[in-house]
Amino acid sequence: QVQLVESGGGSVQPGGSLRLSCAASGLTVSDYAMSWVRQAPGKGLEWISGINTGGTLRSVLNAERRRFTVSVDNAKNMLYLDMNNLKPEDTAVYYCTAKYSQEQPIYSTNRDAYDYWGQGTQVTVSS
């Protein structure tokens, strides 16, 4: 059974940092394109970052490139999202997603574009 379990969310003040983690079981992350997608309150899904199968290509939403970094640890079967200088508008539920065998990162917010989704982790940025 495949599971993607996100962790690391929480409440932080503006300017703070968080590291989100996605622990994969039942699949090997190096065989999948992995992405982070978020959903702010009352808004639709927003693609944030992604890595292609094998981890040779990484992409982050242009508006967040100076603050967010995506990485993968194949040995631990984990995906990460490091977020710095957090802003209230970063408040959202952050989801980890996986799509099998993709040469390019997946940029979609369509749920059907991915094979698997995690349950999400809440990030709240507030003073």
Side-chain angles (χ1 to χ4, degrees), residues 38-108:
R38 70 183 178 186
Q39 187 166 26
K43 296 187 177 181
L45 294 169
E46 180 181 34
W47 179 87
I48 295 299
S49 66
I51 295 179
N52 70 328
T53 299
T56 56
L57 297 174
R58 306 180 186 186
S59 185
V60 176
L61 185 68
N62 281 341
E64 313 299 359
R65 280 185 177 177
R66 292 186 178 183
R67 301 190 298 126
F68 293 0
T69 303
V70 63
S71 60
V72 63
D73 187 328
N74 291 327
K76 295 183 178 179
N77 221 32
M78 298 279 292
L79 178 73
Y80 302 100
L81 183 67
D82 289 294
M83 305 187 295
N84 299 306
N85 190 23
L86 284 162
K87 304 175 182 179
E89 51 264 43
D90 295 317
T91 295
V93 178
Y94 286 70
Y95 298 95
C96 170
T97 68
K99 175 70 174 179
Y100 181 70
S101 190
Q102 302 294 309
E103 293 186 358
Q104 298 292 327
I106 303 296
Y107 299 93
S108 178

Side-chain angles (χ1 to χ4, degrees), residues 28-42:
T28 302
V29 295
S30 60
D31 292 335
Y32 285 74
M34 307 292 293
S35 297
W36 288 99
V37 177
R38 70 183 178 186
Q39 187 166 26

Side-chain angles (χ1 to χ4, degrees), residues 9-28:
S11 296
V12 296
Q13 293 186 341
S17 299
L18 285 174
R19 165 173 261 205
L20 304 185
S21 300
C22 173
S25 60
L27 63 79
T28 302

